[in-house]
Amino acid sequence: MEPARRAVLPSDLSVLVETRDGAPLSLLLGLRRNSRDQLDVRVAEGAQVYDGRRVWRITPAPKGLVVDDEVSRERVALPAGAGARILAVHQRSVWVETPDGPLACGMKDGRCARAAPPDLPLDHPGPGSGFRLVLDAGTLRVALPQERDEGVVLATGVTRVLGAYWVRGGSGEADAVVHRTFRGRARVHAVARAVTADGALTDWETSAPLVVEAPWQLQSGGADWRGARDGSFSMAAAWTADQVCLAGRVRDDEVSVADELVVQVGPVARRVTLGSDATGDVYVRHGWLGVSWEMCIPSGALPARDRLPLAVTFTDVDTDEGPTVLASAPLEAGSPLGELLLDAPGP
């Protein structure tokens, strides 16, 4: 009898969805925890999917759609008609809605034929109950094997899942494209405990921070960025009934008054000028470990819920270089695509 083959588990999940305003949103979830025990969640503008070898970008065109293979730089026109609406993306085909019924078009050759949309692979086998993609009341989640919570929230305001690719490994050539295509979007937990905002960070020593230092966390200016020593930052969060506090450190080889950190939690945005000392309720300290920062936002200024939109953005301006921007999450229509979860108090 042949020994049973060990299943190859997916390393990434590429998902294309349609949001409530009818726009496509592309998401990429790393299914393996990184060295900081976090899952990497990234987003891309428009309709883009990653299958491990190719990054396909689908855009409207006067006579239908255009598909760009971002790895090979090949372009294919899909004659689906003006205003074609994507129904599904599966394997190497796109299904679009037309007045005469659904049309399936190959992303490699552009050939189209009448065909019903496929059943998308929303589940993948794995340990325990395996992996599962769930859309419930507009919230898209990924349930992971042996996870006790409700799963990883990928997006809210979702009306349909248009495509799901369970990626098992990838190619180096595609990885480079993925890094510049999909941008970081962090999910950060705020522990339920009191801290004192003074910029010293002594009461944050036991916190496990989110660290923004990877190429895919760059929002712009990547050509001038030379790695974490050139510009990166960390962030941790805590909360009480009265306030939500965030703190961290910025690593920068050349700190100037033009360097800025913007912290946005829900509707509240705070700016931190790294080249100056504490101003108002934002605390800044300079030391050999970098620039530390700390702030607290009154709970009354925030929506009364335990999940808040979050994005922390660092703009680094060095001499004779353009600005480099790294972020825990990008913004979509001015709203952060990251998420701050207020953990329940312990027993």
Side-chain angles (χ1 to χ4, degrees), residues 67-154:
V67 177
D68 287 284
D69 181 337
E70 298 290 296
V71 176
S72 68
R73 297 295 185 181
E74 295 176 351
R75 169 172 285 195
V76 173
L78 307 183
R85 181 189 181 207
I86 299 174
L87 295 175
V89 181
H90 182 55
Q91 295 180 344
R92 296 191 172 189
S93 295
V94 181
W95 279 258
V96 295
E97 185 177 57
T98 73
D100 298 323
L103 194 68
C105 301
M107 292 193 290
K108 287 289 290 182
D109 57 19
R111 296 179 181 176
C112 300
R114 300 290 166 196
D119 292 328
L120 297 175
L122 303 184
D123 298 339
H124 193 286
S129 58
F131 302 86
R132 188 171 71 258
L133 192 60
V134 180
L135 177 59
D136 181 25
T139 299
L140 183 68
R141 293 183 173 90
V142 177
L144 304 174
Q146 302 172 349
E147 285 279 339
R148 295 181 181 178
D149 61 14
E150 58 188 0
V152 178
V153 175
L154 283 180

Side-chain angles (χ1 to χ4, degrees), residues 10-319:
S11 57
D12 300 278
L13 171 61
S14 175
V15 186
L16 177 63
V17 301
E18 184 180 80
T19 59
R20 288 191 181 125
D21 60 3
L25 178 66
S26 306
L27 306 122
L28 182 62
L29 171 67
L31 296 171
R32 297 171 182 168
R33 295 186 182 276
N34 59 31
S35 61
R36 303 183 186 277
D37 198 32
Q38 299 157 346
L39 293 172
D40 297 335
V41 183
R42 320 183 199 183
V43 297
E45 297 176 356
Q48 308 201 50
V49 294
Y50 168 54
D51 66 4
R53 292 184 173 275
R54 296 285 182 264
V55 177
W56 308 92
R57 180 164 56 91
I58 308 164
T59 52
K63 295 183 179 180
L65 299 170
V66 170
V67 177
D68 287 284
D69 181 337
E70 298 290 296
V71 176
S72 68
R73 297 295 185 181
E74 295 176 351
R75 169 172 285 195
V76 173
L78 307 183
R85 181 189 181 207
I86 299 174
L87 295 175
V89 181
H90 182 55
Q91 295 180 344
R92 296 191 172 189
S93 295
V94 181
W95 279 258
V96 295
E97 185 177 57
T98 73
D100 298 323
L103 194 68
C105 301
M107 292 193 290
K108 287 289 290 182
D109 57 19
R111 296 179 181 176
C112 300
R114 300 290 166 196
D119 292 328
L120 297 175
L122 303 184
D123 298 339
H124 193 286
S129 58
F131 302 86
R132 188 171 71 258
L133 192 60
V134 180
L135 177 59
D136 181 25
T139 299
L140 183 68
R141 293 183 173 90
V142 177
L144 304 174
Q146 302 172 349
E147 285 279 339
R148 295 181 181 178
D149 61 14
E150 58 188 0
V152 178
V153 175
L154 283 180
T156 57
V158 174
T159 55
R160 294 187 303 144
V161 177
L162 303 178
Y165 288 76
W166 302 92
V167 179
R168 294 182 292 273
S171 69
E173 193 176 8
D175 286 347
V177 177
V178 168
H179 285 334
R180 68 171 182 262
T181 301
F182 292 89
R183 299 176 293 170
R185 192 195 68 176
R187 185 189 192 207
V188 180
H189 287 263
V191 297
R193 64 182 177 89
V195 296
T196 300
D198 55 10
L201 306 191
T202 53
D203 44 3
W204 295 87
E205 290 176 354
T206 59
S207 300
L210 169 78
V211 178
V212 178
E213 62 179 8
W216 52 266
Q217 292 167 314
L218 284 163
Q219 304 300 299
S220 63
D224 292 326
W225 185 70
R226 298 179 299 279
R229 291 184 180 181
D230 185 18
S232 57
F233 68 92
S234 63
M235 170 183 57
W239 75 285
T240 65
D242 299 322
Q243 61 187 8
V244 173
C245 299
L246 296 101
R249 285 191 173 92
V250 175
R251 190 177 184 183
D252 187 4
D253 61 349
E254 184 184 330
V255 178
S256 72
V257 293
D259 294 341
E260 183 181 67
L261 200 77
V262 177
V263 179
Q264 184 166 346
V265 183
V268 177
R270 298 281 177 85
R271 295 183 180 275
V272 183
T273 301
L274 299 176
S276 62
D277 295 324
T279 55
D281 53 0
V282 177
Y283 295 85
V284 179
R285 287 193 179 185
H286 299 80
W288 67 275
L289 289 175
V291 180
S292 63
W293 59 276
E294 190 174 15
M295 67 180 65
C296 292
I297 301 170
S299 297
L302 300 170
R305 56 177 186 262
D306 58 5
R307 294 175 182 270
L308 299 168
L310 170 71
V312 179
T313 304
F314 169 43
T315 301
D316 181 22
V317 182
D318 290 341
T319 305

